Amino acid sequence: MWDPSRGGLRLVRAAAVGLVVAGVASASHVLGGGSHTSWLATSLAVLAVSGVTLLIGARRIGAATLLILLSLAQVGVHTLTGYLHGHAAWHDPAMLLAHLAGVGASAVLLARGEALLWRLHAWLSPSLVGRPSPAPVVTRPVALATVVPRALTPLLIGSLSRRGPPLSVV
């Protein structure tokens, strides 16, 4: 079955995280009064965040890791865009607030996406948790008691109760 922490789905998951983080960082930069981010800054942010997410994506990404990743991406996009466009870094409180809001927006989007993805994984994956276990296999023969009704007992007194083929065949 498919697994968000392996193979192609892990790569798609990392790319989605990179796109969301870089997109929100670029939008935050513009909303904070900065210039439009260049395609180079945005592409580098997508590649960097996707690469880190691919490395740590073998397990579910927790809140602390997500916040660190988002904050570093916001700082990276802002610093790189400021360097490419020649303006000072973090000179305006509105810019700082816009990037902090970007961290919050990204955190909500990605936390919901991660929860949905892992919930789908749990739902679609065969799991033995909560299912009854199969009956144990009996490894030794079980002795069954033979009960003969009392009415038949006088009729069977003279009979042989041998099992197997007749003696004339053996």
Side-chain angles (χ1 to χ4, degrees):
M1 204 82 204
W2 63 277
D3 186 356
S5 63
R6 294 192 189 128
L9 193 56
R10 181 174 172 182
L11 184 63
V12 169
R13 183 172 152 232
V17 169
L19 288 169
V20 167
V21 169
V24 172
S26 296
S28 298
H29 190 79
V30 172
L31 291 174
S35 58
H36 288 283
T37 57
S38 67
W39 66 270
L40 178 63
T42 306
S43 300
L44 288 175
V46 169
L47 288 174
V49 172
S50 296
V52 171
T53 305
L54 192 59
L55 291 175
I56 64 171
R59 58 185 169 78
R60 193 171 181 171
I61 298 173
T65 306
L66 190 61
L67 285 175
I68 290 169
L69 184 64
L70 297 173
S71 299
L72 290 175
Q74 294 285 334
V75 169
V77 167
H78 176 81
T79 304
L80 188 57
T81 301
Y83 176 76
L84 292 174
H85 291 284
H87 66 75
W90 308 107
H91 62 284
D92 189 9
M95 180 69 70
L96 180 62
L97 290 175
H99 280 291
L100 287 175
V103 169
S106 298
V108 169
L109 285 171
L110 293 174
R112 300 252 174 157
E114 277 281 301
L116 175 66
L117 185 65
W118 286 97
R119 201 173 305 131
L120 278 172
H121 171 62
W123 182 58
L124 294 175
S125 296
S127 174
L128 295 178
V129 177
R131 292 187 184 175
S133 61
V137 177
V138 179
T139 57
R140 57 186 167 88
V142 178
L144 297 176
T146 309
V147 178
V148 178
R150 287 185 191 257
L152 293 179
T153 306
L155 298 175
L156 298 175
I157 288 178
S159 68
L160 281 174
S161 63
R162 187 177 328 141
R163 295 193 62 176
L167 289 177
S168 59
V169 176
V170 180

